[in-house]
């Protein structure tokens, strides 16, 4: 973390106005009640630190998809009460994020108080990365802190241009995310295993191409494994009973060749769970690769595959995970994901393994498995986590370098 600016690099913040870019884009029901406060809760330590340092904390965030115009549905006013509850202190909501309303609210605020500005995406300039608009955004601030790793892959005005306008630094959550991912993939304890699930090879091409050059063992599961199995000669896999992508066979061959050249061991399913239909509790059975029925659909990996993954995992020091092993949202086709996740958690709790996971489906599947608090680190980010694993530079991180 020495290459990045932290809050301590900002010096004395007493009486200073600090703009904090958070990610408060939380799920909400039709009655405007927040249904999951994880993103709010995880940025609270940074806000409290800035409050303790005597700063006037001006929190900014996007929310929903308002497409450049204000509306009640996407107002951050619905989030303000939850932020207030999480902080245990008053939060003043400001009905705009630029202009006189902000100027007046900042002038009225006392040291250690918190303001929450209205949704950044009520302005098109935010997503366009407009530098002039970013100057308006930061006009009344003395310093900038980013705690929004989940938006770090976007060169939005509040993520990049705003950071360039002021003395800037990473918040505690941002630093925690970057540190965990650096230790997980860029500078890991080896052997390093990656687990990649998902439905299609085409959606994770960059990820697979990057991982085969970096990891020692790569587990490929989910629907995308069907394409690799087809390449390896599993004749019974077809477009009716699986998610095989026939137009990606040559690409899968190239990935396997790159893996071999880089001494990356590829771990593919050696048995699969076949179901009569894509539905919860549908009629199903575990089949070997040479005994896949013609109809129906493949929804999970079998016990032999789970045992293989566990054996290989036991040889490793670090695991990075993105994507479930099967159709985890349908019981009992969450069995493989649950079993491997619980074993990874067991090794983590025993101090034998570092586990880093991220991505929307991944977080949901680990929560379903009951291990979301037993991994070394689980990222709240989706796209940013994936792009980091793909080896891409994230604009919102690059701007934080010293």
């Amino acid at each position: 973390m020495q290459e990045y600016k932290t809050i301590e690099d900002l010096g004395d913040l007493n009486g200073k106005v600090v703009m904090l870019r958070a990610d408060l884009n939380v799920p909400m029901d039709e009655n405007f009640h927040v249904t999951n406060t994880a993103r709010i809760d995880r940025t609270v330590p940074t806000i409290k630190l800035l409050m303790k340092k005597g700063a006037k904390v001006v929190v900014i965030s996007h929310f929903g998809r308002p497409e450049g115009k204000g509306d009640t549905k996407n107002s951050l006013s619905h989030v303000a009460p939850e932020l207030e509850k999480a902080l245990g202190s008053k939060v003043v909501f400001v009905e705009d994020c630029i202009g006189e309303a902000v100027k007046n609210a900042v002038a009225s605020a006392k040291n250690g108080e918190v303001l929450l500005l209205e949704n950044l995406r009520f302005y098109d300039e935010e997503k366009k990365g407009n530098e002039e608009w970013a100057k308006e955004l930061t006009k009344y601030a003395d310093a900038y802190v980013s705690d929004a790793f989940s938006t770090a892959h976007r060169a939005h005005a509040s993520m990049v241009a705003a950071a360039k306008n002021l003395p800037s630094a990473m918040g505690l959550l941002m630093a925690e995310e970057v540190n965990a991912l650096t230790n997980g993939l860029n500078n890991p304890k080896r052997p390093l295993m990656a687990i990649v699930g998902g439905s299609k090879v085409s959606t994770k091409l960059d990820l697979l191409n990057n991982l085969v050059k970096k990891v020692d063992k790569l587990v490929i599961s989910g629907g995308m494994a069907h394409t690799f199995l087809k390449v390896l000669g599993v004749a019974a896999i077809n477009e009716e009973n699986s998610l095989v992508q026939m137009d990606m066979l040559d690409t899968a061959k190239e990935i396997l060749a790159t893996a071999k050249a880089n001494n990356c061991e590829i771990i593919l399913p050696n048995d699969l769970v076949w179901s009569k239909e894509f539905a919860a509790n549908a009629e199903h059975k575990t089949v070997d690769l040479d005994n896949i029925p013609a109809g129906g659909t493949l929804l999970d990996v079998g016990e032999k595959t789970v045992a293989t993954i566990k054996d290989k995992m036991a040889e490793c020091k670090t695991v990075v995970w993105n994507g479930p092993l099967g159709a985890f949202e349908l019981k009992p086709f969450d069995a493989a994901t649950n079993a491997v996740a619980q074993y990874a958690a067991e090794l983590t709790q025993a101090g034998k393994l570092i586990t880093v996971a991220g991505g929307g489906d991944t977080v949901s599947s680990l929560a379903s498995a009951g291990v979301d608090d037993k991994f070394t680190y689980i990222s709240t980010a989706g796209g940013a986590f994936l792009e980091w694993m793909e080896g891409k530079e994230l604009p919102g991180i690059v701007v934080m370098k010293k």
Side-chain angles (χ1 to χ4, degrees), residues 84 88 252 345:
E84 193 167 271

Side-chain angles (χ1 to χ4, degrees), residues 2-16:
Q2 294 178 346
E3 63 181 304
Y4 298 105
K5 295 173 284 186
T6 66
I7 290 173
E8 298 310 313
D9 294 316
L10 295 176
D12 183 11
L13 295 177
N14 190 45
K16 299 286 181 67

Side-chain angles (χ1 to χ4, degrees), residues 4-163:
Y4 298 105
K5 295 173 284 186
T6 66
I7 290 173
E8 298 310 313
D9 294 316
L10 295 176
D12 183 11
L13 295 177
N14 190 45
K16 299 286 181 67
V17 179
V18 179
M19 180 160 278
L20 173 66
R21 177 49 162 109
D23 181 2
L24 303 181
N25 189 28
V26 292
M28 192 172 288
D29 65 21
E30 63 276 8
N31 296 314
F32 304 121
H33 295 136
V34 175
T35 57
N36 186 322
T37 63
R39 284 181 168 171
I40 296 171
D41 298 337
R42 292 181 78 170
T43 203
V44 162
T46 298
I47 298 175
K48 285 190 171 180
L49 175 61
L50 295 172
M51 292 169 70
K52 186 178 178 182
K53 287 179 174 288
K56 298 180 181 181
V57 187
V58 179
V59 182
I60 58 173
S61 178
H62 68 285
F63 182 74
R65 299 178 182 274
E67 303 305 329
K69 56 185 179 182
D71 61 61
T72 303
K73 176 186 171 186
N74 291 298
S75 174
L76 275 169
S77 61
H78 307 305
V79 179
E82 287 295 340
L83 179 60
E84 193 167 271
K85 190 189 301 181
L87 281 171
S89 58
K90 184 174 175 58
V91 172
V92 176
F93 179 71
V94 184
E95 294 180 350
D96 206 339
C97 58
I98 60 171
E100 287 295 309
V102 178
K103 179 182 178 181
N104 294 336
V106 168
S108 301
K110 296 183 176 65
N111 295 357
E113 288 190 343
V114 179
L115 309 178
L116 173 62
L117 306 191
E118 184 55 283
N119 192 346
L120 297 166
R121 289 188 185 170
F122 282 179
Y123 291 88
D124 275 330
E125 290 87 346
E126 159 66 355
K127 289 176 78 172
K128 290 177 180 177
N130 188 287
E131 294 183 5
E132 289 305 311
W133 185 81
K135 287 177 184 175
E136 288 299 312
L137 181 68
T138 57
K139 196 172 186 176
Y140 308 109
D142 301 305
Y144 170 96
V145 173
S146 180
D147 230 12
F149 177 81
S150 48
T151 318
H153 58 313
R154 309 288 189 200
H156 291 173
S158 66
M159 292 300 302
V160 178

